[in-house]
Amino acid sequence: MSKRILVTGASGQIGSALTPALRARYGADMVVATDIVEPPEELRNAGPFEFLDVTQRGAIAAVIDRYNVGTIYHLAAILSAVGETKPQLAWTVNLNGVYKVLEIARERRVERVFYPSSIAVFGPETPRDNTPQDTVLRPTTMYGVTKVAGELLGNYYFRRFGLDVRGVRYPGIISSETLPGGGTTDYAVEIFYEAIKHHHYTCFLREDTVLPMMYMPDCIKATMDLMEADLARLKHHTDYNLAAMSFSPADLVAEIQKHIPDFVCEYRPDYRQEIADSWPRTIDDRAAREEWGWEPQYDLAAMVEDMLDKLGRRYEAGLL
Ligand code: NAD
Ligand code: AKB
């Protein structure tokens, strides 16, 4: 029987989009979605779902054995903003989680593991413009600390044990289906809901805070392309820089106003401003482009048009 795919953190922003994409590509029964919280109804009804806490080693091993898992997408994590309010939880879930998943993957001879990293691996000492692939990694958030350690651990398991661990440094991900789970880039999703519902948004970052961002279809494409890439072509493994677009809240507001002219945004920066100020503005992703053919499809204008179209339809149907 062919081996199944396990997704941890499947109820989250990325998991709830990646799981259906994997099911469409490999078959609904082949993809086991797991999380500690209920997934969206469509995801629960469309294939296997198990409650799974990634800090529980025995529970991870049991699911891997029960479903004959050959590939893991390990998405479960605590993101940057929640991580700064609960650093101990971020350490436990992010680092204990990835260590346990890698250990069990090694023991059970899992073939491939996807472990997403983040632009949060960079810190205030890193060049912020066109941030190089290989550069200073001294983050000032607990989230960033766990992501650097996770990248290094994944590379260690590849070199030491031959476990094929792959990962990208996602920028802020924007999506129309599931709300983000507590990051610094969340404003770039929330703003659409408020623009459509109230024509008004109060942004928790300064208007000139430029950050790297990506639309969900590109995030899914990058993830699946990297996982299907020829291993022989990969010079990096767990730490690919990835770029699609960079913009500030003011840029995003101006683009939304092309569709909703009376939309107004106020700015009240909070503790997340300091996190954003420690991250890159733009990213050099040549390694991803050269080693596995990465190319994004969506720029700011195309993303905004698609977001407003999708969310606008849900609003008109009374579903927002
Ligand atoms: P999210 O917060 O939306 O989802 C994470 C999921 O993990 C949640 O559904 C949560 O219930 C689950 N979870 C938390 N603790 C758990 C535990 N102990 N056991 C099992 N599940 C647990 O996050 P996301 O945006 O979907 O992110 C997925 C991955 O991508 C994370 O590793 C994140 O660091 C990374 N990433 C995301 C972004 C982004 O902008 N969304 C950017 C960079 C990196
Ligand atoms: C966050 O803001 O924490 C995430 C990320 C960039 O990792 N969106």
Side-chain angles (χ1 to χ4, degrees):
M1 193 181 79
S2 53
K3 300 239 178 191
R4 288 200 177 81
I5 295 167
L6 171 69
V7 182
T8 73
S11 306
Q13 189 198 10
I14 296 176
S16 59
L18 181 63
T19 305
L22 291 170
R23 284 178 171 163
R25 173 92 52 111
Y26 302 108
D29 284 345
M30 298 306 291
V31 182
V32 185
T34 68
D35 204 298
I36 50 170
V37 300
E38 280 282 352
E41 215 176 292
E42 316 80 75
L43 199 144
R44 202 189 217 301
N45 296 337
F49 176 83
E50 298 279 345
F51 285 102
L52 176 65
D53 182 340
V54 297
T55 65
Q56 304 301 314
R57 186 189 165 99
I60 306 169
V63 169
I64 288 179
D65 291 344
R66 189 173 331 131
Y67 287 97
N68 190 28
V69 168
T71 304
I72 302 173
Y73 290 78
H74 175 47
L75 306 181
I78 304 297
L79 276 73
S80 61
V82 174
E84 281 316 282
T85 57
K86 298 175 186 162
Q88 299 80 2
L89 178 69
W91 176 274
T92 302
V93 173
N94 296 6
L95 265 182
N96 290 351
V98 67
Y99 175 66
K100 284 175 183 164
V101 164
L102 291 176
E103 257 304 277
I104 296 162
R106 178 188 67 80
E107 283 172 10
R108 299 299 201 272
R109 297 185 189 286
V110 165
E111 286 145 25
R112 197 164 288 176
V113 177
F114 179 78
Y115 169 70
S117 186
S118 163
I119 52 166
V121 294
F122 304 115
E125 294 157 67
T126 309
R128 294 187 66 202
D129 295 307
N130 211 22
T131 301
Q133 172 68 45
D134 300 305
T135 184
V136 184
L137 300 181
R138 284 194 217 283
T140 46
T141 60
M142 178 58 92
Y143 176 63
V145 169
T146 65
K147 286 295 177 190
V148 173
E151 284 186 359
L152 294 173
L153 202 59
N155 275 326
Y156 178 82
Y157 271 71
F158 176 72
R159 267 193 308 103
R160 180 77 170 76
F161 302 117
L163 177 63
D164 185 0
V165 189
R166 304 182 182 194
V168 290
R169 293 169 175 157
Y170 288 137
I173 304 299
I174 297 162
S175 63
S176 58
E177 299 305 310
T178 304
L179 281 163
T184 304
T185 58
D186 292 14
Y187 90 85
V189 180
E190 293 166 6
I191 194 169
F192 286 98
Y193 286 77
E194 296 307 309
I196 289 171
K197 287 199 277 195
H198 306 299
H199 295 208
H200 180 274
Y201 179 61
T202 304
C203 184
F204 57 75
L205 296 183
R206 250 189 357 256
E207 62 184 309
D208 61 350
T209 312
V210 174
L211 287 169
M213 300 279 185
M214 178 175 286
Y215 197 31
M216 186 61 91
D218 277 335
C219 168
I220 301 305
K221 180 177 174 299
T223 306
M224 291 173 76
D225 284 357
L226 175 60
M227 285 297 270
E228 288 174 359
D230 179 0
L231 179 61
R233 289 189 60 200
L234 305 183
K235 298 195 191 90
H236 297 79
H237 293 279
T238 58
D239 55 6
Y240 281 100
N241 275 5
L242 203 60
M245 60 185 106
S246 278
F247 58 76
S248 66
D251 298 330
L252 182 53
V253 168
E255 196 59 42
I256 292 173
Q257 282 168 338
K258 289 183 188 165
H259 303 262
I260 307 175
D262 64 344
F263 172 53
V264 174
C265 187
E266 285 179 77
Y267 298 93
R268 276 196 221 129
D270 65 15
Y271 70 99
R272 290 168 278 194
Q273 185 65 48
E274 193 181 335
I275 302 176
D277 286 341
S278 74
W279 289 354
R281 284 184 281 259
T282 56
I283 299 282
D284 176 353
D285 64 354
R286 266 175 302 173
R289 288 170 188 262
E290 284 162 15
E291 291 174 35
W292 47 278
W294 162 242
E295 199 178 346
Q297 309 285 314
Y298 285 85
D299 62 10
L300 175 61
M303 178 275 288
V304 168
E305 192 176 333
D306 201 56
M307 281 290 284
L308 289 174
D309 179 50
K310 292 209 162 78
L311 292 176
R313 284 166 199 263
R314 295 227 306 270
Y315 182 65
E316 275 159 28
L319 299 171
L320 208 60

